[in-house]
């Protein structure tokens, strides 16, 4: 097995990983980055990004990640195709194995493996991704100004997404499987007080339809024993708000995770419970989940890694 030595291993190539690569390479840490199964991260699955500062005309996700790649490699970041399959944080230097057969020995590790939005698993969801189906109201809500949208879910996040969209869209339907909202009382009150939000209880989505893009959802309402009604709800946007899964399986037992699997970091920093291992982006952020916040935390992780190495001497 070939072994490479680096001052900093970066796992993941979204905005967090690439920002960390730009900063660590400019700080002379000669970072090695593994891009994973989704080079460029989540943004490569979307078309237009309009809210990343600096791109005043908007930019496609793939173009933006391409720019970040060029910027990181310009300063010497060693960006490698491959997936990290194993890590050992129990002793220093840390070690990791990649699926290209290489072992990486690293003084610091920056984890930026992101989080994956949960979808319902409908066969049509993929077909309409970017054409009406979204898992991020903050990202895509603006495209539905004055239109009708649906939000799936009954927890705090779903209520937040519905409230956000209610300020943009003409009408927001919340599709809730149970006969109650799981959200906190205060969120429920805000939702019920909004005139343009209608909660459809006891309702599940069985399909999506539309010719050139999403035109609506097929819903089934359960109305008591053996009684159900299936109908079409015309909507332009269909937002999933049923949670995210942080990509942290690899780190279980190696690093402290919260109940949902997110990496726990020390307040306002990227520090994990293992000195020398840092976390950045959605993998440690159940709250904001934006490209700009991921990039910002990638910068923090790089600065934290650099400081850690300086203090080690
Ligand atoms: C459809 C869609 C549209 C969006 N639109 C916007 C928008 O308009 N504006 C906005 O600000 N945000 C948007 N977001 C959110 C934004 O994409 C995320 O907040 C951001 O990408 C998070 O960046 P990250 O670096 O933390 O992780 P990610 O972008 O999730 O990248 C994770 C990286 O980790 C890698 N990885 C995972 N496991 C391994 C492993 N074992 N080994 C090596 N690498 C690994 C993956 O390959 C990937 O490269 C959107 C998200 C989606 C899904």
């Amino acid at each position: 097995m070939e072994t490479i030595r680096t001052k900093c291993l970066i796992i993941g190539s979204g905005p967090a990983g690439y920002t960390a690569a730009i900063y660590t390479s400019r700080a002379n840490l000669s970072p090695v980055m593994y891009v994973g199964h989704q080079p460029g991260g989540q943004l490569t699955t979307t078309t237009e990004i309009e809210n990343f500062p600096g791109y005043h005309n908007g930019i496609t996700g793939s173009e933006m990640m391409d720019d970040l790649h060029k910027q990181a490699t310009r300063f010497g970041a060693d960006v490698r195709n491959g997936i990290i399959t194993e890590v050992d944080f129990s002793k220093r230097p840390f070690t990791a194995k990649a699926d290209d057969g290489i072992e990486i020995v690293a003084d610091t590790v920056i984890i930026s493996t992101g989080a994956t939005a949960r979808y319902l698993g409908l066969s049509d969801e993929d077909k309409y991704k970017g054409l009406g189906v979204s898992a991020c109201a903050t990202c895509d809500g603006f495209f539905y100004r004055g239109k009708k949208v649906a939000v799936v879910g009954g927890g705090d996040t779903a209520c937040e997404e519905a409230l956000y969209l209610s300020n943009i869209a003409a009408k927001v339907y919340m599709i809730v499987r149970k006969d109650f909202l799981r959200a906190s009382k205060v969120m429920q009150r805000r939702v019920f007080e909004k005139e343009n939000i209608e909660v459809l209880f006891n309702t599940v989505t069985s399909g999506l339809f539309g010719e050139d893009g999403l035109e609506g959802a097929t819903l089934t309402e359960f109305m008591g024993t053996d009684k159900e009604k299936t109908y079409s709800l015309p909507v332009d946007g269909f937002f999933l708000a049923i949670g995210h899964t942080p990509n942290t399986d690899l780190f279980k037992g190696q690093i402290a995770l919260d109940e949902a699997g997110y990496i726990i970091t020390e307040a306002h920093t990227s520090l994990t419970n293992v000195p020398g291992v840092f976390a950045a982006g959605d993998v440690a952020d159940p709250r904001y989940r934006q490209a700009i916040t991921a990039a910002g935390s990638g910068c923090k992780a790089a600065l934290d890694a650099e400081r850690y190495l300086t203090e080690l001497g």
Side-chain angles (χ1 to χ4, degrees):
M1 178 176 271
E2 186 190 340
T3 300
I4 53 173
R5 187 82 170 79
T6 178
K7 286 184 186 149
C8 182
L9 168 66
I10 299 169
I11 310 177
S13 59
Y18 269 120
T19 306
I22 293 164
Y23 274 76
T24 47
S25 48
R26 293 187 77 249
N28 229 8
L29 302 193
S30 311
V32 170
M33 174 202 269
Y34 270 83
V35 300
H37 60 283
Q38 192 176 55
Q42 293 174 61
L43 285 183
T44 57
T45 66
T46 189
T47 47
E48 200 70 1
I49 298 161
E50 293 189 333
N51 57 7
F52 199 91
Y55 292 108
H56 64 282
N57 285 326
I59 184 160
T60 69
S62 298
E63 274 178 296
M64 188 174 122
M65 295 318 299
D66 211 33
D67 281 350
L68 286 179
H69 174 85
K70 285 180 190 143
Q71 196 174 352
T73 49
R74 179 182 153 217
F75 297 116
D78 179 357
V79 178
R80 293 174 176 240
N81 290 322
I83 297 169
I84 297 295
T85 54
E86 232 180 286
V87 293
D88 183 356
F89 298 155
S90 65
K91 51 186 186 320
R92 291 182 186 72
F94 307 115
T95 52
K97 285 183 184 150
D99 66 350
D100 57 3
I102 290 179
E103 184 184 54
I104 306 103
V105 179
D107 297 317
T108 63
V109 177
I110 295 177
I111 301 172
S112 50
T113 47
T116 309
R118 285 187 211 131
Y119 286 82
L120 292 173
L122 301 172
S123 55
D124 296 335
E125 269 170 331
D126 266 352
K127 178 173 157 193
Y128 294 111
K129 266 186 200 166
L131 295 170
V133 169
S134 169
C136 178
T138 320
C139 311
D140 297 328
F142 190 70
F143 301 119
Y144 298 93
R145 270 163 299 163
K147 298 190 172 174
K148 286 184 189 164
V149 298
V151 175
V152 180
D156 274 328
T157 307
C159 289
E160 255 174 48
E161 302 274 269
L163 287 162
Y164 180 87
L165 289 165
S166 70
N167 294 325
I168 301 168
K171 174 86 183 180
V172 180
Y173 296 98
M174 280 186 79
I175 302 170
V176 181
R177 196 159 38 101
K178 303 233 166 91
D179 61 356
F180 61 90
L181 291 175
R182 277 184 300 107
S184 60
K185 288 280 175 253
V186 58
M187 291 305 280
Q188 291 190 33
R189 183 173 50 74
R190 283 185 200 146
V191 161
F192 292 133
E193 278 174 4
K194 267 280 177 173
E195 277 183 4
N196 64 343
I197 300 182
E198 185 177 337
V199 186
L200 307 174
F201 287 111
N202 296 311
T203 301
V204 297
T205 311
S206 48
L208 302 167
F209 57 86
E211 283 292 317
D212 294 326
L214 184 79
E215 289 171 19
T218 307
L219 305 183
T220 301
E221 181 187 352
F222 297 96
M223 298 177 296
T225 0
D226 292 338
K227 270 182 103 183
E228 57 183 61
K229 180 177 78 176
T230 296
Y231 62 101
S232 299
L233 181 77
V235 285
D236 308 286
F238 185 82
F239 288 83
L240 283 308
I242 51 175
H244 284 70
T245 307
N247 303 320
T248 50
D249 280 356
L250 181 62
F251 309 110
K252 278 182 186 155
Q254 297 277 340
I255 201 167
L257 307 175
D258 71 10
E259 277 180 5
Y262 287 92
I263 297 176
I264 298 171
T265 50
E266 206 174 281
H268 313 301
T269 76
S270 68
L271 275 62
T272 70
N273 67 318
V274 179
V277 179
F278 308 91
D282 287 11
V283 74
D285 178 11
R287 190 180 173 101
Y288 297 107
R289 288 195 295 260
Q290 289 293 288
I292 187 67
T293 49
S297 67
C299 159
K300 284 185 181 181
L303 295 179
D304 286 336
E306 203 270 329
R307 260 174 223 157
Y308 169 83
L309 290 172
T310 306
E311 278 162 22
L312 272 189

